[in-house]
């Protein structure tokens, strides 16, 4: 309760002040070259992507900046709703030069969306050149907003989101760029999963801010050929100086979205990289991840009369515990699964090593928006 009260106080203090950065949008941010990364713009976009978890405060913040709420969608899912959609807000503001600034801010994973994140190819077509789940969510936004977008004479867009919202924003940024041109679209995404594979245009106006120790940014697996639209901007986490680390820790304590105890990996990206490599061992292809059932009693495939578990189901179970900060449950799950030798042992060994070194929490914290904000603050 104390943590929530402090977070609420921080949001209220944030909203009580006019935002110099927001005021600059009409003068600088939305008039500059969309293909040039602007750290201050990225910080503002991340703030908005974090405030979406505090909806009333976000609305107050945007009103102070002169933005009107166009609407919000998909924040309340009916029980059993498995549609591939994202929750999001749309704001707009008339700019002095006659253009209309449109902000599409997409929320990260809701409590009932963990399984949807892992359902990369819901159609069962494992050869698609894109992450189908996130693409469907981005297309839903474009389709839902079609009439509104068609009514705009001279729009300019900011699209942003964190985690699940980042994956959707990455693809929506691509779709809007294809429709309106790169100079009208600014896309800043954070902790972005991989969204596409194969050959595609550069999309230099889409910036994906990546913590190289955040394993979510390594999913769907690079071993499956997945990357992201646009340009990856890598935070200076690996090889950071003691001075940088001290500054990041101090800033993290002040950031929204600092949901947990500050911790970084002692050996850079070794543990998260090993974590992802271990996933690839039992799921070398997308099809394997969803169709191959592994035994929970011994190495090899599950027998016809045995439930077993697919790689996708296994990763969902782990990720739900890791990102849900259910450390005690995660340790219990690891212990239970390690009671027998199975195909999942390599990834369980990585997690056991992280637990013994006291770094299990770092898997969680590397993904938090507050951690991204803190590292952005020391980025040159």
């Amino acid at each position: 309760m104390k943590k929530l009260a402090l977070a609420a106080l921080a949001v209220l203090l944030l909203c009580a002040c006019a935002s110099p950065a927001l005021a600059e949008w009409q003068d600088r941010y939305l008039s500059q070259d969309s293909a040039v990364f602007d750290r201050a713009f990225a910080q503002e976009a991340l703030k908005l992507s974090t405030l979406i978890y505090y909806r009333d405060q976000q609305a107050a913040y945007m009103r102070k900046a002169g933005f009107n709420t166009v609407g919000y969608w998909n924040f309340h899912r009916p029980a059993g709703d498995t549609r591939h959609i994202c929750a999001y807000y749309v704001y707009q503001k008339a700019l002095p030069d006659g253009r209309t600034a449109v902000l599409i801010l997409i929320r990260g994973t809701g409590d009932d969306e963990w399984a949807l994140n892992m359902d990369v190819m819901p159609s069962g077509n494992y050869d698609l050149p894109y992450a189908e789940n996130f693409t469907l969510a981005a297309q839903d936004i474009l389709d839902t907003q079609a009439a509104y977008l068609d009514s705009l004479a001279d729009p300019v867009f900011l699209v942003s989101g964190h985690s699940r919202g980042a994956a959707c924003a990455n693809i929506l940024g691509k779709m809007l760029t294809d429709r309106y041109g790169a100079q009208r679209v600014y896309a800043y995404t954070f902790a972005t999963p991989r969204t596409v594979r194969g050959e595609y245009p550069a999309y230099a106006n889409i910036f994906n801010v990546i913590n190289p120790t955040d394993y979510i940014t390594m999913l769907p697996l690079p071993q499956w050929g997945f990357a992201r639209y646009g340009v990856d901007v890598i935070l200076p986490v690996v090889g950071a100086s003691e001075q940088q680390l001290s500054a990041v820790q101090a800033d993290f304590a002040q950031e929204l979205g600092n949901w947990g105890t500050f911790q970084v990996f002692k050996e850079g990206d070794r543990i998260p990289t090993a974590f992802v490599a271990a996933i690839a061992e039992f799921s070398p292809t997308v099809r394997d991840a969803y169709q191959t059932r592994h035994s929970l009693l011994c190495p090899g495939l599950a027998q016809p009369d045995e439930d077993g578990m697919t790689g996708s189901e296994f990763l969902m179970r782990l990720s739900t515990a890791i990102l849900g900060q259910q450390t005690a449950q995660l340790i219990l799950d690891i212990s239970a699964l390690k009671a027998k030798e199975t195909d999942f042992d390599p990834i369980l060994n990585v997690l056991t090593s992280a637990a013994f070194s006291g770094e299990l929490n770092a898997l969680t914290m590397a993904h938090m928006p507050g951690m991204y904000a803190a590292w952005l603050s020391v980025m040159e």
Side-chain angles (χ1 to χ4, degrees):
M1 290 297 292
K2 182 178 179 182
K3 177 184 170 185
L4 290 175
L6 290 173
L9 177 60
V11 174
L12 289 173
L13 289 173
L14 180 68
C15 295
C17 304
S19 169
L22 279 172
E24 286 180 345
W25 286 18
Q26 62 193 40
D27 301 321
R28 182 167 69 90
Y29 288 160
L30 296 180
S31 297
Q32 67 186 12
D33 186 347
S34 63
V36 175
F37 178 77
D38 186 315
R39 186 185 72 162
F41 198 1
Q43 289 174 304
E44 190 64 31
L46 177 55
K47 184 186 299 180
L48 295 177
S49 296
T50 306
L51 272 172
I52 200 168
Y53 296 104
Y54 307 88
R55 293 172 59 194
D56 292 342
Q57 291 88 342
Q58 183 193 53
Y61 187 66
M62 298 306 294
R63 282 196 301 271
K64 284 185 176 292
F67 282 85
N68 298 316
T69 304
V70 177
Y72 56 88
W73 289 263
N74 304 331
F75 278 85
H76 300 289
R77 281 180 179 267
D81 183 358
T82 59
R83 290 175 299 156
H84 288 281
I85 56 177
C86 278
Y88 64 99
Y89 265 92
V90 179
Y91 293 96
Q92 74 172 38
K93 177 180 182 177
L95 300 179
D97 61 6
R99 296 180 302 161
T100 300
V102 178
L103 275 56
I104 304 176
L105 308 175
I106 309 173
R107 190 192 68 185
T109 306
D111 291 339
D112 45 6
E113 293 177 329
W114 293 103
L116 299 177
N117 289 343
M118 300 300 168
D119 191 14
V120 176
M121 302 294 183
S123 69
N125 180 357
Y126 301 113
D127 297 322
L128 290 174
Y130 49 81
E132 186 180 19
N133 54 345
F134 300 130
T135 301
L136 288 171
Q139 188 65 53
D140 173 73
I141 295 177
L142 200 61
D143 291 346
T144 301
Q145 301 305 321
Y148 165 67
L149 296 177
D150 288 342
S151 72
L152 300 173
D154 195 6
V156 58
F157 299 91
L158 168 67
V159 183
S160 190
H162 169 264
S163 190
R164 174 183 175 82
C168 186
N170 178 267
I171 299 168
L172 183 61
K174 176 262 187 194
M175 292 175 171
L176 290 172
T177 299
D178 289 347
R179 180 171 177 175
Y180 293 96
Q183 192 51 46
R184 289 183 180 269
V185 180
Y186 301 76
Y188 282 83
T189 77
F190 306 90
T192 319
R194 293 167 180 263
T195 55
V196 66
R197 55 185 173 179
E199 298 295 325
Y200 48 88
Y203 295 104
N205 59 314
I206 300 174
F207 295 103
N208 312 300
V209 180
I210 301 298
N211 177 347
T213 67
D214 178 1
Y215 81 92
I216 293 299
T217 67
M218 306 175 196
L219 302 175
L221 295 174
Q223 289 89 337
W224 298 345
F226 278 92
R228 282 170 281 267
Y229 292 116
V231 180
D232 284 359
V233 178
I234 308 300
L235 294 171
V237 179
V238 177
S241 67
E242 288 298 323
Q243 183 178 8
Q244 283 179 308
L245 190 57
S246 178
V248 167
Q249 185 168 2
D251 189 79
F252 176 79
Q254 308 301 318
E255 291 290 348
L256 293 173
N258 64 353
W259 306 316
T261 304
F262 179 85
Q263 185 176 24
V264 296
F265 291 104
K266 301 170 187 174
E267 300 178 72
D269 61 354
R270 183 186 69 81
I271 288 177
T273 299
F275 182 88
V276 170
I279 296 170
E281 286 191 40
F282 57 77
S283 296
T285 70
V286 184
R287 186 179 300 276
D288 286 323
Y290 289 92
Q291 293 196 340
T292 302
R293 304 197 71 80
H294 300 265
S295 174
L296 298 177
L297 301 174
C298 61
L301 303 185
Q303 297 301 310
D305 59 346
E306 181 187 353
D307 287 339
M309 190 177 291
T310 67
S312 175
E313 291 167 342
F314 183 78
L315 183 58
M316 183 181 72
R317 181 172 175 177
L318 290 181
S319 293
T320 301
I322 291 169
L323 298 180
Q325 299 181 325
Q326 302 166 4
T327 305
Q329 183 60 51
L330 178 60
I331 292 173
L332 287 174
D333 285 348
I334 293 171
S335 299
L337 290 168
K338 281 185 68 64
K340 301 283 186 178
E341 183 181 353
T342 71
D343 291 347
F344 300 121
D345 277 0
I347 195 168
L348 293 173
N349 290 338
V350 173
L351 292 173
T352 301
S353 174
F356 276 120
S357 67
E359 295 176 280
L360 202 55
N361 175 61
L363 276 174
T364 302
M365 299 318 299
H367 188 63
M368 295 301 157
M371 188 69 80
Y372 273 78
W375 280 108
L376 267 174
S377 72
V378 301
M379 189 175 182
E380 296 180 357

